[in-house]
Amino acid sequence: GEDVEQSLFLSVREGDSSVINCTYTDSSSTYLYWYKQEPGAGLQLLTYIFSNMDMKQDQRLTVLLNKKDKHLSLRIADTQTGDSAIYFCAESMDNFNKFYFGSGTKLNVKP
Amino acid sequence: EPEVTQTPSHQVTQMGQEVILRCVPISNHLYFYWYRQILGQKVEFLVSFYNNEISEKSEIFDDQFSVERPDGSNFTLKIRSTKLEDSAMYFCASSDGNRSGYTFGSGTRLTVV
């Protein structure tokens, strides 16, 4: 079955870049997403990438997709304390009806 | 920005009781979902709902669970005869069918004692 894996924790200093990694097993994944969850809040869509793309940039966020290795990463440039949250990787296939989520990576940004 | 609203934010119930978790999806969305996250585990798909019927459900979504869209605005998840292992954060989501992802609510934390 589908499996999405992420490392559990990442700690960086304010102003540094953060790189959050994700691996998935299903090569038929068509869409890959990054969601952010702040304490007490829901899952906020940050960005997404189609499987026919290698990279997508959106302001401070850069998503890299290595389809051969089934590896997805989210780079946050100039990380701020407000970026501290849990970041979830998710994938979906063509049926669109469900997402498969990773366990989430807790990003801690130190001042 | 439009939001998905979930109530209550926290519900405590005794084992064996029925609970109804409520969600108000974004008004022009047509696809509705429930996910759950047991503490320390992954966010898991429960069910998707479109055109007044279930379009897909997971193995978790057994006869204990049901969903309903009783009116034009609410989308509910009912859990009959709750068990201790139903304790989790339950997320509602909705979508307009655009592949740019769902909008999630803030979740309802269900604690079964």
Side-chain angles (χ1 to χ4, degrees):
Chain A
E2 295 80 2
D3 197 16
V4 180
E5 297 293 338
Q6 298 177 241
S7 53
L8 293 181
F9 299 102
L10 176 66
S11 184
V12 300
R13 292 211 172 272
E14 191 172 21
D16 289 349
S17 292
S18 307
V19 180
I20 302 171
N21 294 301
C22 170
T23 57
Y24 59 97
T25 56
D26 197 322
S27 57
S28 63
S29 296
T30 308
Y31 301 89
L32 296 124
Y33 305 84
W34 284 103
Y35 278 84
K36 176 183 179 183
Q37 185 181 34
E38 297 182 27
L43 298 164
Q44 173 197 353
L45 177 66
L46 284 179
T47 187
Y48 63 96
I49 189 168
F50 298 130
S51 60
N52 62 356
M53 298 167 67
D54 297 324
M55 186 182 88
K56 181 178 181 181
Q57 187 151 4
D58 184 1
Q59 299 181 332
R60 291 191 297 123
L61 305 179
T62 304
V63 179
L64 294 178
L65 175 61
N66 182 329
K67 202 173 177 187
K68 175 176 166 288
D69 294 338
K70 301 190 189 70
H71 182 266
L72 182 74
S73 68
L74 174 69
R75 179 177 180 270
I76 305 173
D78 187 25
T79 315
Q80 303 298 306
T81 54
D83 294 324
S84 293
I86 300 175
Y87 291 80
F88 291 92
C89 167
E91 59 158 355
S92 71
M93 275 61 77
D94 284 339
N95 68 9
F96 183 61
N97 276 330
K98 60 187 173 189
F99 286 5
Y100 292 95
F101 281 87
S103 300
T105 299
K106 186 170 185 178
L107 174 65
N108 179 41
V109 183
K110 295 179 281 189
Chain B
E1 190 171 327
E3 290 184 341
V4 173
T5 306
Q6 289 187 245
T7 55
S9 56
H10 191 189
Q11 170 111 33
V12 181
T13 189
Q14 288 199 321
M15 193 168 53
Q17 295 296 303
E18 174 183 285
V19 294
I20 298 176
L21 309 184
R22 301 182 191 279
C23 171
V24 179
I26 293 173
S27 60
N28 64 341
H29 284 187
L30 301 175
Y31 299 83
F32 313 111
Y33 310 86
W34 283 100
Y35 284 75
R36 79 172 184 189
Q37 185 181 29
I38 295 172
L39 188 64
Q41 297 186 23
K42 293 184 179 183
V43 177
E44 302 172 290
F45 170 77
L46 291 178
V47 66
S48 58
F49 191 87
Y50 170 72
N51 200 26
N52 284 319
E53 60 183 25
I54 291 174
S55 45
E56 189 169 2
K57 60 183 181 179
S58 70
E59 292 176 354
I60 304 166
F61 195 89
D62 60 21
D63 292 343
Q64 179 195 10
F65 294 90
S66 62
V67 288
E68 194 177 31
R69 188 154 163 81
D71 52 42
S73 60
N74 290 283
F75 179 53
T76 61
L77 175 69
K78 182 190 289 186
I79 310 175
R80 286 181 279 275
S81 189
T82 48
K83 302 185 277 244
L84 293 175
E85 54 264 37
D86 294 328
S87 294
M89 180 74 90
Y90 288 81
F91 292 106
C92 174
S94 70
S95 168
D96 60 3
N98 185 322
R99 289 306 296 259
S100 59
Y102 315 153
T103 302
F104 281 88
S106 299
T108 294
R109 181 169 296 284
L110 176 66
T111 303
V112 182
V113 296

